[in-house]
Amino acid sequence: MLEKHNEEMTLQDILDLSYMGKVLNETLRMYPVVPNLKRKSTKTYNIPDTNLTIEKDQCIRISVLGIHYDEKIYPRPEVFDPERFSPENVEARHECSYLPFGLGLEQCIAKNFAQVVSRVCLVKLLSQFRVEPSKNTPRQIEYDPTRTVLYPKGSLPIHFVKREAFY
């Protein structure tokens, strides 16, 4: 894309990077910044087939990680598969099955900005560097339970290897 456009990027060029969008969506499925959403119920609701009732104005915690790793929604959820976000796969899922930015009136106001900026940063970064694990990069990430956002325990060492020429 950079070679084709003489290293200039328009918003449309960025949005046309459909596979990069799939990769970013799958990354946010596996590693959402906010692993839990907090909401307040607007009415009393009896959960079908249970004896549970959510009372009006009750605080509710929604486990984004729990939804994103539900095998009924995402088979083999521990496997990184960007094709989960092909148009036909997205269409087949309930809109509440992917919540890295929340949903509805309380959806992150910066969602569109974050998606565009992430793509721009990745294009610039990956056109100049390869990103590789180091010998100290953990294969399984442990999260810091004291943080509000999903954050690794300790450090997450990686190597940036300068590219001689990307294209």
Side-chain angles (χ1 to χ4, degrees):
M1 191 263 305
L2 289 173
E3 181 180 26
K4 180 180 171 184
H5 297 286
N6 198 27
E7 298 214 24
E8 296 292 323
M9 291 183 285
T10 67
L11 176 60
Q12 191 58 53
D13 295 332
I14 295 300
L15 296 176
D16 287 345
L17 296 171
S18 61
Y19 192 73
M20 182 180 283
K22 291 177 191 176
V23 167
L24 288 169
N25 285 337
E26 179 68 348
T27 301
L28 286 172
R29 180 194 67 80
M30 293 182 77
Y31 309 104
V33 175
V34 179
N36 296 294
L37 299 174
K38 294 178 184 161
R39 298 292 185 261
K40 186 187 282 191
S41 65
T42 58
K43 61 183 178 182
T44 298
Y45 179 76
N46 295 312
I47 300 174
D49 303 322
T50 72
N51 294 329
L52 299 173
T53 300
I54 298 170
E55 300 296 335
K56 184 178 192 293
D57 295 325
Q58 183 175 350
C59 289
I60 304 165
R61 189 176 79 171
I62 301 164
S63 173
V64 174
L65 273 177
I67 293 169
H68 288 187
Y69 278 81
D70 186 329
E71 291 184 350
K72 290 179 250 154
I73 301 168
Y74 300 102
R76 296 182 42 212
E78 70 288 347
V79 173
F80 187 84
D81 180 8
E83 287 306 315
R84 295 180 203 273
F85 291 91
S86 67
E88 54 277 359
N89 286 336
V90 170
E91 183 69 28
R93 283 191 299 268
H94 191 280
E95 69 176 331
C96 294
S97 65
Y98 181 67
L99 299 169
F101 296 99
L103 192 66
L105 294 175
E106 298 202 26
Q107 177 174 282
C108 175
I109 194 168
K111 173 186 175 183
N112 293 335
F113 178 74
Q115 290 175 328
V116 171
V117 169
S118 296
R119 290 180 188 204
V120 170
C121 290
L122 276 176
V123 166
K124 290 296 193 177
L125 176 74
L126 296 177
S127 69
Q128 297 180 34
F129 297 93
R130 283 191 336 267
V131 182
E132 300 176 351
S134 78
K135 65 179 181 168
N136 297 320
T137 304
R139 295 287 171 228
Q140 193 71 28
I141 299 172
E142 287 186 57
Y143 301 109
D144 185 340
T146 64
R147 304 273 186 142
T148 305
V149 297
L150 201 60
Y151 195 87
K153 261 188 186 178
S155 63
L156 194 59
I158 54 176
H159 286 291
F160 290 91
V161 180
K162 181 82 172 140
R163 294 182 187 274
E164 292 195 22
F166 189 57
Y167 48 86

